[in-house]
Amino acid sequence: MTTHLESGAQSSTTTLLRFATAGSVDDGKSTLVGRLLHDSKSVLTDQLEAVEQASLNRGQEAPDLALLTDGLRAEREQGITIDVAYRYFATTRRRFILADTPGHVQYTRNMVTGASTAELAVVLVDARNGVVEQTRRHAAVAALLRVPHVVLAVNKMDLVDYAEPVFAAIAEEFTAYAASLGVPEITAIPISALAGDNVVEPSAHMDWYGGPTVLEHLETVPVSHDLTACHARFPVQYVIRPQSAELPDYRGYAGQIAAGVFRVGESVAVLPSGRTTTITGIDALGESVDIAWAPQSVTLRLADDIDISRGDLIAPADDSPAVTQDVEATVCHVADQPLSVGQRVLIKHTTRTVKAIVKDIPSRLTLDDLSQHPAPGQLVANDIGRVVVRTAEPLALDAYEDSRRTGSFLLIDPADGTTLSAGMAGAAFAAAAEAVVAADDDAEWDF
Amino acid sequence: MSTVATVPEGTVNPYALSHLDSLESEAVHIFREVAGEFERPVILFSGGKDSIVMLHLALKAFAPAPVPFTLLHVDTGHNFPEVLEYRDRTVKKHGLRLHVASVQEYIDAGKLRERPDGTRNPLQTVPLTEAIQQHRFDAVFGGGRRDEEKARAKERVFSLRDEFSQWDPRRQRPELWQLYNGRHAPGEHVRVFPISNWTELDIWQYIEREGIELPEIYFAHEREVFDRNGMWLTAGHWGGPKEHEAVETRLVRYRTVGDMSCTGAVDSDATTLDAVITEIAASRLTERGATRADDKMSEAAMEDRKREGYF
């Protein structure tokens, strides 16, 4: 969607927030998304006209705003959202990329897809129903994917007389549950997406609520945490060697900094080989710089002419990850074909793809009550489970809780290239949640 | 020279990237992923603003080495002469190699038939897919943006196409984190969209920031046009105007550059980048709504064309 900005809002120094929405159709997710787009003036005349025309053709009297977001023929025909869609809108303060994820129970993988790149998730609840099974599932996925900020939008407040106690009870129950999962920051907002209360404009019906509107919160939430505190990681994507008359000796290692900060003069290790060297230069897309940080795409130059290629990881010499061939992880299975013990797969981690075998599937997680079912033998679509994978070559893998970028991986079917599972390395989900609860509330959340 | 020095004072987080820097970094990452994993990538280059930004990003991604990709243009035979001139000049300037797939040649050879409405945009699909097969391209970069159209909003950054180049939206691979899965069988290829997450305004702000040259038709100029279905089309040998359509000279510019038979000009006095950005920020029409006839053919026109192999 083309963005519309208020006059004077053309600054190119605004920041970008990626967020995802989660909620069943009946919770009013489409209405909330429609309201955000509409009230931030991101829906343009021709798009509205197209929706009005299409609604008329279907015999509907009022324009169906869901037609704005349901982009596929099958979605419009069936009146459901099948797949994740990405929406774009902007205010004077910030640009937004919204991963609009379908809320159906069977599409857990879609919420995982949306949440994997999101810095914030909006979980919608119907004020009349309160926290239901689906709400807990959404909170669990947000926690599992380590989305740094979660907004609980208690919708349809107009249908409960805008009553504060209704909101307070739901907010309290959700916050307690999400905190127990280890969600670091939760903001609860009472809204009516249909009437427009507290979405973009503050509500005139809920003077008892002193917090931000949904949009205000989206505009002001911090988009990146202090990256200096994260372990610096640089997966090598591509070796740049011009071999030209002017630059016969230039050799640069191109990549996107996955986490942390790199400085010229710093001593680094190259993994998995473990050789060490020093950064002699950083080229930030044509400009030479002294320092660079995630998620900048840069090119590093190193003091020694050592063997480095795509798939290697550069990290500070005194702070590099362990190298392993035995990966323990939580995976969300996203393919229709199952994942079984003994199966040969490919594992794609940062810029490295290696052969691997599924040694064990110790448990399958039930998102509703977070119980573990031991030894399920296989995982099917939308299952979340623990796996143990043995890789043919060593990987420099972080725990997902330390780094969303270097702790995540894909399992791929070597036969047809299908993406089988989304993997998060490290401790078990529930155990990790307990550990986080027990730890300091200000624990760093990297993404 | 340190980038840190350019971070505005008083910013809460000195490590926060501006939205343009975030988008640029993401696009460069995508270009480098393809360079690292594919054998024969190609960039679709039409001389339009999106493909111009794509080429600029590719140049930055591999500097100081040359761009390790060739270019491909599907020429409808009704392209704007100024744009073709720009295309050839740019290709030469950067020492690149350009393949041209010609719709006109397909029509002349009897392999494609002219449509009754004279629009050649849908006819591009066959020359495009045949060029991909003929050159055995395994990754094809396109400048498609998800903000352009509702079917495009569903498109992946890495979009797997079968040997017929078909897009099946129900069989798309989930795209997780920044881990793009480009595996494909022989004969299949992957369409890659590095600027998926950019909006029209982002493109223009980036063009301004980077000082990128554009074909002149993007800026207001006097032009002979005629009205067809509410759009100002350029008069020319491609088949307009018809008898009842009157040509007039108007001050116009283009928001998109495509086939002359279906790309409309907009009334505008924006002769500078600043003026264009102000105009777009205030516009109540999307760029396709304002200037593309082919998307108005049916509610699912874009989806249907994409399924057949179009971008």
Side-chain angles (χ1 to χ4, degrees):
Chain A
M1 246 154 248
T2 303
T3 52
H4 171 79
L5 296 186
E6 304 297 334
S7 57
Q10 293 153 19
S11 163
S12 59
T13 54
T14 51
T15 51
L16 188 64
L17 178 78
R18 292 170 197 247
F19 74 106
T21 53
S24 307
V25 177
D26 294 341
D27 292 338
K29 188 174 70 69
S30 297
T31 317
L32 175 64
V33 171
R35 177 64 66 184
L36 271 174
L37 296 173
H38 184 269
D39 288 7
S40 64
K41 301 182 175 64
S42 303
V43 181
L44 302 186
T45 312
D46 56 311
Q47 293 168 323
L48 265 185
E49 279 171 2
V51 165
E52 281 162 10
Q53 192 58 48
S55 303
L56 271 179
N57 292 347
R58 286 176 167 72
Q60 292 164 323
E61 282 172 21
D64 179 0
L65 282 179
L67 294 175
L68 273 176
T69 53
D70 288 342
L72 302 174
R73 196 184 273 282
E75 291 177 324
R76 290 189 297 273
E77 282 165 5
Q78 298 171 40
I80 58 161
T81 311
I82 292 169
D83 203 347
V84 182
Y86 295 88
R87 316 272 157 218
Y88 304 83
F89 66 102
T91 67
T92 53
R93 298 161 97 167
R94 191 168 267 178
R95 300 294 180 96
F96 301 96
I97 299 177
L98 159 58
D100 187 9
T101 66
H104 293 264
V105 177
Q106 67 268 36
Y107 294 126
T108 302
R109 62 184 172 199
N110 284 328
M111 191 187 160
V112 169
T113 299
S116 73
T117 51
E119 291 148 81
L120 180 146
V122 179
V123 175
L124 231 74
V125 167
D126 185 327
R128 296 169 301 175
N129 305 330
V131 174
V132 295
E133 196 176 296
Q134 183 78 326
T135 318
R136 283 193 288 272
R137 193 175 287 120
H138 290 146
V141 172
L144 182 68
L145 271 287
R146 300 202 162 248
V147 180
H149 309 276
V150 170
V151 171
L152 172 74
V154 181
N155 191 26
K156 306 193 184 181
M157 287 299 293
D158 52 321
L159 299 182
V160 294
D161 296 328
Y162 296 105
E164 180 176 17
V166 175
F167 168 73
I170 295 170
E172 191 179 345
E173 186 185 350
F174 181 84
T175 304
Y177 180 75
S180 77
L181 295 171
V183 174
E185 194 195 283
I186 301 145
T187 304
I189 305 176
I191 67 168
S192 165
L194 195 67
D197 292 289
N198 288 337
V199 177
V200 173
E201 301 296 331
S203 170
H205 301 105
M206 292 179 274
D207 50 11
W208 46 264
Y209 174 73
T213 65
V214 173
L215 187 65
E216 249 176 83
H217 182 67
L218 293 174
E219 283 181 313
T220 52
V221 74
V223 284
S224 58
H225 294 232
D226 186 0
L227 292 166
T228 52
C230 303
H231 307 285
R233 300 287 184 258
F234 184 84
V236 175
Q237 268 190 295
Y238 191 75
V239 183
I240 294 178
R241 288 197 305 141
Q243 294 179 293
S244 60
E246 307 88 70
L247 295 163
D249 301 322
Y250 184 98
R251 181 189 280 265
Y253 303 97
Q256 186 172 28
I257 299 175
V261 177
F262 285 90
R263 292 178 174 83
V264 172
E266 188 174 6
S267 171
V268 291
V270 179
L271 302 167
S273 76
R275 279 182 284 260
T276 57
T277 182
T278 306
I279 298 175
T280 53
I282 303 176
D283 298 325
L285 304 183
E287 185 191 5
S288 183
V289 296
D290 302 328
I291 179 170
W293 60 88
Q296 290 180 322
S297 280
V298 297
T299 305
L300 301 185
R301 284 177 281 125
L302 303 176
D304 302 289
D305 222 0
I306 53 182
D307 176 20
I308 305 175
S309 57
R310 175 174 171 81
D312 288 342
L313 185 88
I314 296 174
D318 58 359
D319 180 25
S320 41
V323 166
T324 181
Q325 284 181 259
D326 295 292
V327 180
E328 288 192 52
T330 300
V331 302
C332 175
H333 193 67
V334 296
D336 290 332
Q337 64 231 58
L339 183 76
S340 309
V341 174
Q343 193 170 336
R344 292 185 182 276
V345 295
L346 294 170
I347 178 165
K348 180 166 181 146
H349 169 248
T350 66
T351 54
R352 195 174 188 86
T353 304
V354 302
K355 288 181 185 170
I357 185 162
V358 180
K359 299 296 272 188
D360 193 14
I361 301 178
S363 62
R364 182 169 55 82
L365 179 75
T366 303
L367 273 178
D368 313 332
D369 60 1
L370 300 182
S371 63
Q372 302 278 354
H373 291 249
Q378 63 173 28
L379 298 176
V380 301
N382 297 304
D383 275 356
I384 288 171
R386 294 289 296 166
V387 298
V388 179
V389 175
R390 170 79 181 172
T391 63
E393 295 167 50
L395 295 179
L397 197 78
D398 284 297
Y400 186 76
E401 64 180 310
D402 291 330
S403 170
R404 278 172 96 179
R405 193 107 185 208
T406 52
S408 57
F409 61 84
L410 303 181
L411 296 183
I412 294 170
D413 186 334
D416 62 6
T418 301
T419 298
L420 295 170
S421 311
M424 289 152 279
F429 172 51
E434 283 159 23
V436 171
V437 172
D440 185 357
D441 282 347
D442 298 327
E444 277 302 329
W445 280 62
D446 168 58
F447 51 91
Chain B
M1 191 167 15
S2 166
T3 304
V4 166
T6 66
V7 173
E9 294 239 298
T11 316
V12 177
N13 181 353
Y15 295 104
L17 295 186
S18 75
H19 84 277
L20 284 182
D21 284 332
S22 301
L23 293 171
E24 180 186 59
S25 177
E26 177 181 67
V28 164
H29 174 250
I30 294 162
F31 274 111
R32 289 166 168 178
E33 280 299 282
V34 171
E37 296 219 324
F38 290 82
E39 298 286 324
R40 298 174 66 85
V42 67
I43 301 177
L44 279 198
F45 185 76
S46 64
K49 66 182 187 306
D50 297 316
S51 61
I52 290 169
V53 164
M54 293 256 296
L55 181 57
H56 182 85
L57 288 162
L59 287 162
K60 290 185 86 166
F62 301 100
V67 172
F69 312 125
T70 55
L71 305 183
L72 171 65
H73 182 216
V74 182
D75 186 342
T76 63
H78 291 163
N79 283 100
F80 294 91
E82 303 94 316
V83 177
L84 293 181
E85 186 273 327
Y86 177 98
R87 177 196 77 182
D88 293 338
R89 187 156 42 84
T90 304
V91 166
K92 204 173 156 194
K93 180 175 155 192
H94 299 297
L96 297 162
R97 201 163 142 231
L98 173 76
H99 304 279
V100 177
S102 162
V103 172
Q104 189 64 54
E105 281 175 20
Y106 273 74
I107 292 172
D108 293 346
K111 294 201 273 184
L112 278 178
R113 202 181 311 158
E114 197 90 71
R115 294 162 53 98
D117 62 7
T119 288
R120 285 190 171 180
N121 234 21
L123 300 186
Q124 292 181 82
T125 302
V126 170
L128 168 66
T129 56
E130 289 198 6
I132 291 169
Q133 295 302 319
Q134 183 197 332
H135 295 285
R136 290 179 291 114
F137 294 129
D138 54 1
V140 183
F141 287 105
R145 307 190 324 264
R146 290 173 179 149
D147 82 318
E148 284 180 85
E149 208 275 339
K150 56 188 182 297
R152 282 228 164 118
K154 299 270 173 182
E155 180 71 271
R156 297 289 182 266
V157 173
F158 272 42
S159 179
L160 184 65
R161 303 295 172 102
D162 66 12
E163 60 191 309
F164 302 101
S165 285
Q166 295 178 113
W167 182 61
D168 185 348
R170 300 195 88 145
R171 292 178 52 85
Q172 298 193 95
R173 290 173 178 161
E175 210 150 69
L176 298 137
W177 298 287
Q178 286 78 18
L179 292 167
Y180 302 109
N181 177 1
R183 293 190 74 85
H184 58 282
E188 297 179 340
H189 69 279
V190 174
R191 299 276 172 93
V192 184
F193 302 97
I195 58 170
S196 281
N197 286 324
W198 298 47
T199 65
E200 184 186 16
L201 196 55
D202 296 328
I203 292 288
W204 281 101
Q205 288 185 344
Y206 189 71
I207 286 167
E208 184 187 44
R209 185 183 92 169
E210 300 286 305
I212 301 169
E213 190 203 341
L214 290 182
E216 281 303 311
I217 67 169
Y218 280 114
F219 300 97
H221 56 287
E222 297 260 333
R223 193 174 196 89
E224 291 206 325
V225 293
F226 64 92
D227 180 9
R228 180 177 293 172
N229 300 327
M231 288 200 318
W232 294 116
L233 297 185
T234 292
H237 68 276
W238 59 267
K242 291 177 184 157
E243 268 177 35
H244 63 281
E245 295 167 328
V247 172
E248 54 183 293
T249 303
R250 298 184 73 90
L251 188 60
V252 294
R253 68 173 205 88
Y254 282 85
R255 277 174 80 174
T256 64
V257 163
D259 187 89
M260 287 167 95
S261 62
C262 64
T263 308
V266 293
D267 287 314
S268 169
D269 56 5
T271 54
T272 64
L273 274 173
D274 262 354
V276 168
I277 289 169
T278 304
E279 185 182 287
I280 289 167
S283 172
R284 299 304 299 143
L285 290 177
T286 65
E287 71 181 284
R288 289 199 163 257
T291 66
R292 286 297 180 94
D294 44 336
D295 289 337
K296 295 178 178 170
M297 288 174 187
S298 85
E299 206 185 332
M302 174 71 89
E303 179 181 345
D304 294 344
R305 274 184 290 144
K306 280 167 63 66
R307 281 175 180 275
E308 285 165 16
Y310 187 81
F311 260 82

